[in-house]
Amino acid sequence: MPRLSHTLDLDALKREDIAGSIDGVHRVLREARFDSEGHLLVPDEAERERLERRAEELGVLHRGESAEAGPQDMEHSLRLLSGEHLAPGAHYLFSVLDEKGEPDFSEEVEGWMGTDLTITSWDPEGRCAVDFAMREDPAVTGFEDSVTSGTVVHDRAAQALSIHARMRFPAPMSMVGENSSLLRVEVDVHVDLAGWYAALSGVEGAAPVRFEVGHPFVRAVGEALPSPEPGGRWSVTGSLQVRGRGPARPLVAVAAWAMLRSMRRSEEMSVERWVTEVERSWTDTARGLPALPELLGEVAEAMSLAVSRVRRPIR
């Protein structure tokens, strides 16, 4: 079966900076507060602008990133629908807001009506798990239930992050039936931070970063394995292998071979261009990571003092 492999030259990330950033994220989450209707309280506009300038000063945010992050004038909202904040069973809704500060179901979000988040486990020093399910407009997707759902698990003690997602292709049900497995694909991603740094120390073992995509006809597996380079840099080898299943094996083999060959030759889908962009983005992240815990501390303090929810004026 075709196999795509490439090696990236990356700046090293200090383990203590990653740990400090994780601590900072937990602190921001702890300081989050909600009003009587469950809406997240956020710093006022002046404070948000100050934090953005502060992020630029610290090198965490590079000028222009915020403008490129999404459609102009789009605001997002987090609402606690039921349960106690950060306790198992807490149910939140993450959505886009319109000009009135209400959930936006316009065509710009392509049928997405928000994402339900439910905490199933929350131990900052151990296992934190959150289920997610994207709400979508049945008129757009053709299905009443969620097209994309799954679970994100961060195990602080094991230093591991896992994501399991279930997705369904937005194809007309009349083609194969609503419950057909042919419309469904499952994705698993696993990041083993301890295994990553063990590999950099010369310990042999399974790839510390791995993802797998499963479908009745296709299985794709990707891996990333780091090794140390002179000057404290990392050499990270990534690979992707696609295999067909059952009677689809010959067809998938030919299609995958053609796709990989096209990617190698195409200027628009150039692997080299993709690698250059990944390395550039990683360099920006590596430069800003040491200052991220400090910035998150300031964000947490601002969240603890917030007294309003995001509301955009009606034009």
Side-chain angles (χ1 to χ4, degrees):
M1 287 291 168
R3 184 174 185 272
L4 180 65
S5 179
H6 206 95
T7 300
L8 295 88
D9 179 28
L10 304 177
D11 290 49
L13 304 182
K14 292 184 178 180
R15 201 167 182 174
E16 56 267 30
D17 290 336
I18 297 175
S21 297
I22 293 173
D23 286 337
V25 170
H26 277 284
R27 183 182 172 190
V28 171
L29 293 175
R30 286 198 307 271
E31 297 295 345
R33 295 178 300 121
F34 300 81
D35 66 16
S36 59
E37 297 180 347
H39 296 284
L40 176 67
L41 300 177
V42 297
D44 60 28
E45 185 174 353
E47 179 64 6
R48 296 201 302 272
E49 290 179 354
R50 186 195 72 80
L51 289 170
E52 185 171 326
R53 291 194 301 270
R54 183 63 173 148
E56 291 180 353
E57 293 172 1
L58 294 172
V60 175
L61 176 68
H62 299 273
R63 190 172 298 277
E65 284 185 5
S66 59
E68 299 172 359
Q72 291 184 348
D73 298 328
M74 182 174 288
E75 294 283 1
H76 294 85
S77 167
L78 180 67
R79 187 175 183 181
L80 177 60
L81 300 181
S82 63
E84 182 180 348
H85 179 49
L86 296 186
H91 179 198
Y92 306 81
L93 174 63
F94 177 76
S95 60
V96 174
L97 300 180
D98 61 17
E99 294 181 347
K100 298 180 181 180
E102 300 300 329
D104 182 11
F105 303 146
S106 67
E107 294 181 358
E108 294 181 5
V109 295
E110 299 179 348
W112 178 67
M113 300 171 67
T115 299
D116 289 284
L117 305 169
T118 304
I119 293 179
T120 58
S121 175
W122 196 265
D123 178 3
E125 299 303 320
R127 185 178 184 273
C128 294
V130 179
D131 290 343
F132 65 89
M134 294 185 181
R135 295 187 184 185
E136 285 133 326
D137 187 350
V140 176
T141 65
F143 297 95
E144 293 295 332
D145 59 343
S146 177
V147 172
T148 304
S149 61
T151 302
V152 178
V153 179
H154 177 239
D155 191 326
R156 184 69 177 272
Q159 301 180 60
L161 175 69
S162 298
I163 302 172
H164 176 70
R166 299 170 295 277
M167 294 177 284
R168 181 167 45 199
F169 298 116
M173 290 184 292
S174 58
M175 293 179 59
V176 292
E178 180 178 2
N179 297 317
S180 173
S181 62
L182 298 180
L183 290 181
R184 303 175 188 276
V185 62
E186 299 206 2
V187 180
D188 285 286
V189 180
H190 183 73
V191 180
D192 179 2
L193 187 62
W196 182 276
Y197 283 95
L200 290 168
S201 299
V203 178
E204 295 185 1
V209 176
R210 179 182 175 91
F211 76 87
E212 181 175 336
V213 179
H215 180 269
F217 287 163
V218 183
R219 179 173 179 265
V221 176
E223 296 181 341
L225 182 65
S227 59
E229 287 290 317
R233 297 183 64 79
W234 292 347
S235 176
V236 180
T237 300
S239 65
L240 173 65
Q241 189 165 21
V242 181
R243 293 181 178 273
R245 289 178 167 179
R249 291 190 65 180
L251 179 61
V252 170
V254 173
W257 174 84
M259 180 186 69
L260 295 180
R261 184 178 177 85
S262 176
M263 289 177 61
R264 292 190 178 103
R265 291 186 171 186
S266 171
E267 293 183 0
E268 294 182 358
M269 300 175 62
S270 168
V271 174
E272 287 72 21
R273 179 181 298 180
W274 175 82
V275 169
T276 298
E277 180 61 25
V278 170
E279 291 179 343
R280 184 196 65 78
S281 298
W282 186 280
T283 296
D284 291 342
T285 299
R287 290 175 178 174
L289 185 63
L292 183 56
E294 180 180 348
L295 176 65
L296 290 172
E298 295 187 29
V299 172
E301 183 176 357
M303 292 295 290
S304 71
L305 300 174
V307 295
S308 65
R309 54 175 287 204
V310 173
R311 283 187 181 275
R312 284 166 37 197
I314 301 176
R315 293 181 178 84

